[in-house]
Amino acid sequence: MQIDKYTKFLLTVIACCLVYLCLKDAIAIPKVHAEGPMKVLLVDSIGRPVSDTADGMPLPVRIDNGKQ
């Protein structure tokens, strides 16, 4: 008995799905956790710190995502 190409393709897809379902839990991706708050030092274009102000207040931060 000869199997046509469609049946062979369909059985291959089913086999690949079964292999994926069996192996997805075996290969665990490690979770990453932050250690805590991080201090950020803002510098200008030549490397001088700009995060210190005269009155000791933090600088305002604006996030620019490139959309206008």
Side-chain angles (χ1 to χ4, degrees):
M1 181 173 155
Q2 190 172 1
I3 300 176
D4 61 342
K5 290 182 182 182
Y6 176 75
T7 305
K8 188 181 252 186
F9 172 77
L10 194 60
L11 290 174
T12 303
V13 170
I14 292 171
C16 290
C17 290
L18 288 173
V19 168
Y20 170 74
L21 289 173
C22 291
L23 293 180
K24 75 175 183 176
D25 293 330
I27 303 171
I29 298 173
K31 294 182 180 181
V32 179
H33 301 283
E35 294 179 12
M38 183 183 245
K39 183 174 178 162
V40 176
L41 178 64
L42 300 175
V43 295
D44 61 7
S45 61
I46 58 174
R48 293 182 300 197
V50 294
S51 60
D52 296 329
T53 58
D55 58 359
M57 297 297 294
L59 291 172
V61 176
R62 181 177 60 94
I63 298 173
D64 184 13
N65 60 3
K67 296 180 183 178
Q68 292 183 2

